[in-house]
C-alpha cells in the first residue's frame, strides 16, 4: 500500500469512527438519557439557571417526542423530532408507556412550538385545578403550605441570556439582595417541594382548569415567573400537555454553573454536584 492510499484509508476509517460514534450517541440520547441545560428561572429554587442535568427517558416510555430535535440556525439545520420519529406520532400513545406521578419534574415538548420545557406535574387527567389567592387547589381542596423564610439571590445578570431576577423587595440595585417569599407546598400523595412568590398577579387568581383525558397540567415552582399550563396556548402559554409530548423525568442535577457558560468551571456551584431533584 502506497503512502497516499494509506493516508486515504486512515481518513476513511476516521470518518467511519466519527459516524459510528454519532450514531451510538444518537441512539443513547433517544432511548436513555437526554442532557438538559436550565435556561430560565421558572423552577427556582428547585432548579437554578445554569443547572445541567440528564433527563430519564425510560421513566414514561417512548413517543415521537423521545427523538432529539437538532436546530442549528447558523448553518441552516432544523430537524424536528417529528421528522425523525413521526411514525410514532398519533393517538397520544407511547411505547412501553408508564404514567407519570404528581410532583414529578418533567421535560416535555410544547404542544405548539415544539420547544423543550421543564416544569412540575401538578394536574393528572380528570383533575380540576385552580389557583385562588395564590393557593393551589386540586379537586376543590387547597394544598398544604408552610412558610419557609425567603429565597435570596444577588441582583445581577444570570446565565447565557443575561436576564435579571424578579424580586419581591423591588426595586433592588445591582449587586444587592433580591428576595422572594418561600413556602413548602405538599401535593396530594405527599410530595413536598419549595415554591416561590413575588407579587399578587393575575395567575394567582384563575378559573377552574379541567384536565382532559390523556393530558397533564404543569406549573413552575417560581410561581410568579413561569409560563405554564395556567396560560392557554392561544395566549402564548403551555396549556394542557398531551401524554405523547412528555420526554422524561428529571431526577438529578449533575453540576451547575453560575456563569454565562457551562465551560466556566470557576463559576460552578460546589453544592449542586449530583444533587437530587425533589
Amino acid at each position: 500500500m502506497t503512502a497516499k492510499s494509506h493516508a486515504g484509508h486512515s481518513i476513511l476509517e476516521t470518518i467511519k469512527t466519527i459516524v459510528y460514534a454519532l450514531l451510538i450517541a444518537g441512539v443513547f440520547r433517544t432511548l436513555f438519557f437526554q442532557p438538559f441545560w436550565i435556561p430560565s428561572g421558572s423552577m427556582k429554587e428547585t432548579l437554578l439557571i445554569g443547572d445541567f442535568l440528564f433527563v430519564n427517558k425510560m421513566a414514561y416510555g417512548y413517543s415521537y417526542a423521545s427523538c432529539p430535535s437538532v436546530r442549528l440556525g447558523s448553518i441552516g439545520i432544523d430537524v424536528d423530532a417529528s421528522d425523525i420519529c413521526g411514525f410514532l406520532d398519533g393517538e397520544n400513545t407511547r411505547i412501553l408507556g408508564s404514567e407519570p406521578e404528581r410532583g414529578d419534574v418533567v421535560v416535555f415538548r410544547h404542544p405548539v412550538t415544539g420547544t423543550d420545557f421543564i416544569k412540575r406535574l401538578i394536574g393528572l387527567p380528570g383533575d380540576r385545578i385552580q389557583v385562588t389567592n395564590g393557593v393551589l387547589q386540586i379537586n376543590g381542596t387547597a394544598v398544604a403550605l408552610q412558610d419557609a423564610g425567603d429565597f435570596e439571590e444577588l441582583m445581577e445578570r444570570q446565565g447565557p441570556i443575561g436576564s435579571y431576577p424578579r424580586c419581591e423587595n423591588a426595586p433592588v440595585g445591582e449587586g444587592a439582595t433580591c428576595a422572594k417569599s418561600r413556602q413548602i407546598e405538599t401535593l396530594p400523595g405527599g410530595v413536598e417541594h419549595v415554591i416561590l412568590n413575588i407579587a399578587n398577579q393575575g395567575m394567582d387568581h384563575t378559573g377552574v382548569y379541567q384536565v382532559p383525558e390523556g393530558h397533564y397540567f404543569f406549573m413552575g415552582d417560581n410561581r410568579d415567573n413561569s409560563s405554564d399550563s395556567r396560560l392557554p396556548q392561544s395566549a402564548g402559554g403551555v396549556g394542557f400537555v398531551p401524554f405523547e409530548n412528555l420526554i422524561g423525568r428529571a431526577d438529578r442535577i449533575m453540576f451547575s454553573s453560575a456563569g454565562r457558560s457551562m465551560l466556566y468551571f470557576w463559576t460552578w456551584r460546589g453544592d449542586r454536584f449530583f444533587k437530587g431533584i425533589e
Side-chain angles (χ1 to χ4, degrees), residues 121-135:
L121 175 54
I122 297 296
L124 304 175
D127 280 346
R128 290 175 290 108
I129 306 296
Q130 186 175 20
V131 182
T132 304
N133 296 321
V135 179

Side-chain angles (χ1 to χ4, degrees), residues 27 37-40 64 79-80 106 112 168 177 203 229 257 264:
V27 170
W37 175 260
I38 303 300
S40 76
Y64 85 97
V79 181
D80 189 75
V106 180
V112 176
E168 188 174 20
T177 299
M203 288 296 95
S229 292
S257 173
Y264 296 170

Side-chain angles (χ1 to χ4, degrees), residues 12-278:
L12 179 61
E13 287 301 312
T14 300
I15 293 173
K16 286 169 61 177
T17 299
I18 293 173
V19 169
Y20 291 152
L22 291 173
L23 286 174
I24 292 171
V27 170
F28 184 86
R29 179 175 174 179
T30 299
L31 295 180
F32 303 110
F33 298 96
Q34 176 175 320
F36 195 85
W37 175 260
I38 303 300
S40 76
S42 69
M43 282 293 292
K44 289 178 180 177
E45 66 177 40
T46 304
L47 298 173
L48 303 180
I49 295 175
D51 282 349
F52 181 83
L53 51 89
F54 283 99
V55 179
N56 180 0
K57 288 190 168 186
M58 298 176 286
Y60 311 131
Y62 305 96
S63 72
Y64 85 97
S66 301
C67 280
S69 297
V70 182
R71 294 187 173 93
L72 300 172
S74 59
I75 57 176
I77 295 178
D78 186 1
V79 181
D80 189 75
S82 59
D83 297 328
I84 304 172
C85 294
F87 65 94
L88 295 175
D89 191 6
E91 299 185 1
N92 199 22
T93 58
R94 306 181 72 87
I95 297 173
L96 303 176
S98 57
E99 298 290 334
E101 297 182 1
R102 194 192 315 274
D104 285 357
V105 176
V106 180
V107 173
F108 58 88
R109 282 173 58 88
H110 190 285
V112 176
T113 67
T115 304
D116 290 350
F117 274 60
I118 185 165
K119 306 288 181 184
R120 190 176 298 276
L121 175 54
I122 297 296
L124 304 175
D127 280 346
R128 290 175 290 108
I129 306 296
Q130 186 175 20
V131 182
T132 304
N133 296 321
V135 179
L136 175 63
Q137 315 271 333
I138 300 178
N139 296 322
T141 302
V143 299
L145 291 172
Q146 178 183 347
D147 288 336
D150 288 339
F151 170 77
E152 297 182 345
E153 57 188 336
L154 291 180
M155 171 56 76
E156 60 183 4
R157 294 189 179 276
Q158 299 181 345
I161 299 175
S163 57
Y164 284 101
R166 292 182 59 205
C167 315
E168 188 174 20
N169 59 330
V172 175
E174 184 89 24
T177 299
C178 172
K180 302 171 181 60
S181 296
R182 177 170 51 193
Q183 295 174 300
I184 297 174
E185 181 178 84
T186 303
L187 299 174
V191 173
E192 295 183 350
H193 61 100
V194 168
I195 62 170
L196 303 181
N197 290 286
I198 301 170
N200 184 3
Q201 54 191 51
M203 288 296 95
D204 291 326
H205 313 275
T206 74
V208 176
Y209 305 93
Q210 181 76 44
V211 185
E213 287 301 315
H215 291 71
Y216 296 90
F217 189 97
F218 291 91
M219 295 175 66
D221 290 350
N222 192 1
R223 291 287 162 82
D224 295 332
N225 196 40
S226 174
S227 175
D228 50 42
S229 292
R230 290 171 291 176
L231 196 63
Q233 296 157 15
S234 59
V238 170
F240 302 121
V241 178
F243 185 35
E244 66 181 356
N245 280 47
L246 307 191
I247 294 174
R249 186 181 64 223
D251 294 326
R252 189 169 297 276
I253 299 163
M254 304 308 293
F255 68 90
S256 180
S257 173
R260 302 296 294 272
S261 169
M262 61 184 290
L263 300 179
Y264 296 170
F265 63 87
W266 58 89
T267 66
W268 289 4
R269 301 177 176 107
D271 61 341
R272 298 185 73 78
F273 283 96
F274 309 111
K275 179 180 175 64
I277 297 173
E278 299 178 354

